[in-house]
Amino acid sequence: MRGDFRVGDWIVHPSLNALERDGKTVHLEPKVMQVLLTLASEPSEVFTRETVQRQVWPDVVVGEDVLIRAIGKIRRAFHDDPVIETVPKVGYRLVAPVVRESDGIATEIREPQKSFAPLLTTDEAAHVDATPVAPSLPIHPFPDPIKVPASRRPLIWLVAFAAVLLLVFATFAIISRFYRGHSTQTGPYVTRPFTTDPGSQIQTSFSPDGKSVAYVWRKDGKSYGQIYIRSLNSEQPTRLTPEQPADQLNPVWSPDGGQIAFVRKDDNHSSIVVVPSSGGTGDEIYTLPVNSAREYGGLAWTADGAGLIFPQQNTLEGPSYLIELSLRDRTVQSITAPPLLWDGDFFPTVSPDGRTLAFVRGSEQFARDIYVMSLPSGPIQRITRGRLAMSLAWTEDSASIVFSSSRNGALSLWRVKATGGDPQRLAAVGDDAYAPAIAKHGHRLIYSHGSAMWGIFAIDLADKSAAPAVILTSSEQDAAPHISPAGGHIIFQSWRSGSREIWAAQVDGSNPVQLTDNPGQSAGDPSWSPDGELIALDARLDSFAHIYVINASGGKPRAVTSGSCNDVAPSWSPDGQYLYFGSNRSGSWQIWRVPVDDSHVPQQITTNGGMFAMVSGDGQRIYYTKYTSAGLWQQPVVGGRERKVFDGPPAGYPDYWTLSRDGVYALSIVGQQFALSRIDPETGQARVLDLLKYSPTVGLSISPDGKKMVYSGLISASSHLTLVEDFR
């Protein structure tokens, strides 16, 4: 269907991916709009699930949950008006009147027939964001010890990969959609797409007069993002600097509009660059001490234009803190000093009146809050608590801060007073919104809107000609799969319930069941005990990541570690008596272990670094990767000299490997592509088994018989800019 049309009393604008009623606009993801257009093409006709999937996702194999979520998003966009009917075991049909808008003449397409079939199935209700509902599950989806929980139970080290996704979703873990919050911002906004170009457009900055926007555009097929400028009155963007093989990030306009500063990052170093806003090659004015992905975390001009504020680290494992660089004499001074073992400070933003600095501080990647500081050196005040916050923008009056967050709702935009208080969700902006920028004049807001498709893949290692098969897909991130000791099931971390939780499924991906229900506490990295009775995981119940254990049937996590430090990525000893994990409790990332019994006294295993570890089948050797260095190391469990086994996985991907009975399997980069290799741990010799079509995300696992491997990957992702006029 082409052109605008009405569904009930809503106007549908397909070209804008938007719905409108009473002056209010709701945006849909492009694929969600395509689902609506498919159903609206033949109102009252029943479309099978297979037909809709084939028309909307013709080139991608997707799971049924992706369509269920799309239907749920349509229903929520229509404010739960009776628009779509579910035909049990068949598909869907549009039951609201559909009228085409053409040159001011309304033409009714078809009067739908009445039906008394249910409008919402239990399975779909389980995907609705407003209130989690227990899904309809088989009574015995698994043989013991996996049991269905009585109710739905809803990296830190993945720094380099988080940096890549930052260009796609402007976040360290892309990440994810959640249930609705409250809102005081209901209009009358005027919203429109600002960019619809292929690829990803993110990280915006308004010119001082509010009439132009600088942003990062990573084009399809390109490895690096470049900075472009576009006037609000033009459809044609202009590249700011000559294209080069380096990421250009975080563009910010100087107060006088004459310059733009940004971060340039290549494989060797990260630097601060200043270039005239009319374009040019730019001058590198400062080189950051370490080439860390965490230094993507924002850039700001001082109010007088004489300096720049940005985060940096002294070491790869040290916290990120904010510094101010004087453009006059190129000297720097520290502005903030986060606690030593914390992740640190990011996203500095100076208020329009120049009096206050806002920034994000976090104990670790998934626990970050907003802080404010009176300039130049006033006291620091925390104004939000308990949930992930990032990407800040001040309102024109310097009274409030708009930020992106996953608190109690989708990755969306929220507003909080600069003095603190209860943040309010900007519901009119919609889901999957992040990285806001607000003009100092003109009452305009712009933000990024993203979508993605994730998958868990299985490879038949016994069949050398077999291609990876998709066993699970979701518009939410599924990752870190782990095959059970008996080989019949997998556990994995997923955002599909509204927060990152632990799920289980049969090894072919069927019958997924949620095992944990701790919204906002970001459970991940599950590992099955050798007997299959328990599952270890990391979670953030007290703002720090710690190790927990649950029964294989799900339930409340039982803490195994604690303290003002971060413990991540547990794995079991072969006898099931110990859990090995990465921790910064000693001041640097090392491998530790802790008894699973009630003593819970951690013991440090490595001294030269360590992040992700596994113990050999005989219990004699520990293999591990490090937080800052490429390679896999080995040392005796009882202590001794470490030995480097081979040079992969690359730095920043410490969990891209696993042990099996016939060696080490690891993912490494070959050219511009990830490859699966098998490594002889004694000789270090590697043999490439397969080149991966999709970029892997988190973890891989080998079945006990060595015949099957599972891993997770990003199938597709894109991000575009949406402009909001009359934002107050």
Side-chain angles (χ1 to χ4, degrees), residues 474-486:
S474 178
S475 55
E476 319 299 332
Q477 189 192 63
D478 295 337
H482 188 213
I483 300 177
S484 65

Side-chain angles (χ1 to χ4, degrees), residues 222-296:
K222 294 290 185 179
S223 301
Y224 301 99
Q226 306 290 309
I227 295 172
Y228 286 76
I229 296 176
R230 184 179 141 189
S231 167
L232 299 187
N233 298 319
S234 172
E235 295 295 325
Q236 185 63 39
T238 302
R239 193 170 63 228
L240 178 65
T241 64
E243 188 167 349
Q244 53 188 290
D247 273 330
Q248 298 177 3
L249 306 164
N250 298 122
V252 284
W253 236 295
S254 63
D256 63 5
Q259 297 175 298
I260 291 176
F262 63 90
V263 177
R264 177 181 290 157
K265 185 181 188 303
D266 58 26
D267 293 338
N268 300 312
H269 76 297
S270 299
S271 59
I272 306 298
V273 179
V274 175
V275 63
S277 56
S278 58
T281 57
D283 297 323
E284 290 193 3
I285 62 173
Y286 184 77
T287 299
L288 294 160
V290 295
N291 195 26
S292 168
R294 286 196 286 178
E295 288 165 350
Y296 286 86

Side-chain angles (χ1 to χ4, degrees), residues 589-641:
W589 284 101
Q590 305 290 343
I591 302 300
W592 291 66
R593 75 175 184 180
V594 63
V596 184
D597 61 23
D598 293 336
S599 61
H600 294 175
V601 179
Q603 173 190 0
Q604 186 172 339
I605 301 299
T606 66
T607 56
N608 295 321
M611 190 62 166
F612 184 87
M614 297 184 74
V615 178
S616 60
D618 60 10
Q620 300 300 307
R621 298 175 303 281
I622 182 171
Y623 294 83
Y624 54 95
T625 46
K626 300 183 179 182
Y627 182 64
T628 58
S629 304
L632 177 73
W633 280 262
Q634 176 203 94
Q635 76 169 49
V637 168
V638 296
R641 186 174 181 178

Side-chain angles (χ1 to χ4, degrees), residues 43-64:
S44 82
E45 292 296 321
V46 177
F47 285 79
T48 67
R49 293 180 173 90
E50 293 76 17
T51 298
V52 179
Q53 289 171 320
R54 186 166 55 251
Q55 292 193 28
V56 178
W57 294 276
D59 301 320
V60 180
V61 179
V62 299
E64 186 176 326

Side-chain angles (χ1 to χ4, degrees), residues 310-332:
F310 49 90
Q312 76 167 25
Q313 298 166 262
N314 289 334
T315 66
L316 278 170
E317 295 190 9
S320 178
Y321 61 98
L322 301 183
I323 67 169
E324 181 177 333
L325 168 67
S326 169
L327 299 182
R328 186 178 300 109
D329 56 17
R330 306 293 171 85
T331 59
V332 298

Side-chain angles (χ1 to χ4, degrees), residues 180-433:
R180 297 283 202 269
H182 300 290
S183 172
T184 58
Q185 298 287 130
T186 58
Y189 297 152
V190 178
T191 65
R192 63 180 174 89
F194 186 69
T195 63
T196 57
D197 303 296
S200 295
Q201 299 92 48
I202 60 169
Q203 295 182 343
T204 56
S205 173
F206 277 105
S207 59
D209 62 7
K211 297 181 179 180
S212 296
V213 176
Y215 61 93
V216 175
W217 181 6
R218 170 172 282 182
K219 297 184 178 181
D220 281 346
K222 294 290 185 179
S223 301
Y224 301 99
Q226 306 290 309
I227 295 172
Y228 286 76
I229 296 176
R230 184 179 141 189
S231 167
L232 299 187
N233 298 319
S234 172
E235 295 295 325
Q236 185 63 39
T238 302
R239 193 170 63 228
L240 178 65
T241 64
E243 188 167 349
Q244 53 188 290
D247 273 330
Q248 298 177 3
L249 306 164
N250 298 122
V252 284
W253 236 295
S254 63
D256 63 5
Q259 297 175 298
I260 291 176
F262 63 90
V263 177
R264 177 181 290 157
K265 185 181 188 303
D266 58 26
D267 293 338
N268 300 312
H269 76 297
S270 299
S271 59
I272 306 298
V273 179
V274 175
V275 63
S277 56
S278 58
T281 57
D283 297 323
E284 290 193 3
I285 62 173
Y286 184 77
T287 299
L288 294 160
V290 295
N291 195 26
S292 168
R294 286 196 286 178
E295 288 165 350
Y296 286 86
L299 182 64
W301 289 85
T302 57
D304 59 6
L308 289 164
I309 300 172
F310 49 90
Q312 76 167 25
Q313 298 166 262
N314 289 334
T315 66
L316 278 170
E317 295 190 9
S320 178
Y321 61 98
L322 301 183
I323 67 169
E324 181 177 333
L325 168 67
S326 169
L327 299 182
R328 186 178 300 109
D329 56 17
R330 306 293 171 85
T331 59
V332 298
Q333 63 175 347
S334 300
I335 297 178
T336 64
L340 179 62
L341 297 183
W342 282 42
D343 213 29
D345 299 340
F346 308 88
F347 303 111
T349 309
V350 177
S351 61
D353 62 14
R355 297 178 180 177
T356 310
L357 175 70
F359 61 95
V360 169
R361 172 173 290 179
S363 59
E364 66 101 43
Q365 181 177 336
F366 290 101
R368 294 181 173 178
D369 283 293
I370 299 175
Y371 291 71
V372 294
M373 181 183 77
S374 298
L375 293 173
S377 57
I380 293 176
Q381 176 189 358
R382 180 179 177 179
I383 64 171
T384 66
R385 292 186 178 275
R387 299 294 172 123
L388 175 67
M390 56 188 179
S391 302
L392 313 180
W394 285 91
T395 55
E396 286 185 43
D397 58 7
S398 298
S400 300
I401 297 167
V402 174
F403 62 101
S404 53
S405 176
S406 58
R407 56 187 305 122
N408 295 342
L411 183 63
S412 55
L413 301 187
W414 295 71
R415 184 173 187 157
V416 65
K417 293 180 179 179
T419 55
D422 184 22
Q424 302 296 307
R425 186 178 182 274
L426 305 186
V429 168
D431 290 352
D432 311 313

